[in-house]
Amino acid sequence: MANKGFFADHQFTLLVTLFHIIFITLFGFFGKYTAEALPNDLIQTPELINSKYPYVHVMIFVGFGFLMTFLRRYGFSAVSVNLLLAAFTIEWGILVRGFTSEQFSEYGYFTISIDQLLTADFAAAVVLITMGALLGKLSPTQYLLVAFIETPAALITEHFIVHSLGVNDVGGSIIVHAFGAYFGLACSRVLYRSYWENEESANSLYHSDLFSMIGALFLWVYWPSFNAAVAAPEDARHRALLNTYLSLIACTITTFLVSQLVHKHVSSF
């Protein structure tokens, strides 16, 4: 087999190195911690850290990661690429949102806080939903390029929908789930190859479905926190938690009922 050349053999390493050097440089010159994160005895906000930080991160890295293990040959790569894309998009999302913020245009820097991490998690969720439509079809390098293009596109769309149109989309039904799904479908249509059809590797196995179910359970448990993370004021967060939890219960029961009715191999549980 002919040598493909240095770049072709090391394109992933070179691309990640380039992106990371650029990201670190931009964070170093233009990023600044918010006042609550700097040493200050007068500003202490444990409620903010305890109520917002852990839950959405668990969904992004564990929930989405194991949800993508349903394909028989791509379980390990699904979890690892999920981790890579989430980390990459969180960095890139903070930078894009920071450079397009009013604070940067006025002061020449952007702040980094728990809220910035949360909104970057939402951007990561968009990319991971798109990843689900392309699972097993792209290389890690191609996934990174998709994330690099999709992240600013998603944030621009979010700005237009939320700020220009005034849509209240706290749970991200439009700007996260719908956008990520349609972006993934568009990418799959553009990148489609006929030999992808009827691939045996696209089937599932018992253990792959089991791990995927674990991911679904993590998402189920933490979804109320995802929907309520950026809701304000506190009563809105309370309602978002209650409404999401009750909706999850109703949808779960309905899913079992419909599954029993339409599945030809299941006569009774």
Side-chain angles (χ1 to χ4, degrees), residues 27-126:
F27 273 112
F29 279 104
F30 302 108
K32 181 179 179 181
Y33 283 131
T34 188
E36 290 82 1
L38 295 173
N40 193 330
D41 294 334
L42 301 179
I43 304 176
Q44 299 294 332
T45 55
E47 295 82 6
L48 175 67
I49 307 301
N50 297 333
S51 63
K52 286 189 174 184
Y53 172 72
Y55 309 114
V56 179
H57 286 333
V58 171
M59 294 180 66
I60 298 301
F61 291 99
V62 180
F64 277 108
F66 281 92
L67 184 68
M68 302 297 180
T69 60
F70 55 87
L71 297 182
R72 62 188 303 169
R73 288 188 58 189
Y74 302 107
F76 180 77
S77 61
V79 177
S80 58
V81 171
N82 180 92
L83 179 61
L84 169 68
L85 288 183
F88 176 85
T89 306
I90 287 173
E91 281 189 326
W92 182 220
I94 292 174
L95 288 172
V96 172
R97 194 182 294 275
F99 285 128
T100 56
S101 65
E102 294 182 1
Q103 183 183 48
F104 180 79
S105 62
E106 184 174 354
Y107 299 106
Y109 67 87
F110 58 87
T111 55
I112 303 171
S113 69
I114 293 296
D115 288 330
Q116 275 68 52
L117 292 181
L118 286 174
T119 52
D121 275 332
F122 276 70
V126 178

Side-chain angles (χ1 to χ4, degrees), residues 9-10 12 21 34 39 56 61 78 96 162 200 202 213 218 222 232 234 239 246 264-265:
D9 291 335
H10 302 88
F12 176 78
I21 290 175
T34 188
V56 179
F61 291 99
V96 172
V162 175
E200 184 181 353
M213 189 64 184
F218 271 101
Y222 288 109
E234 189 64 27
R239 286 194 304 275
L246 294 174
K264 62 182 179 179
H265 298 299

Side-chain angles (χ1 to χ4, degrees), residues 18 98 199 242:
L18 175 64
E199 283 191 4
L242 295 175

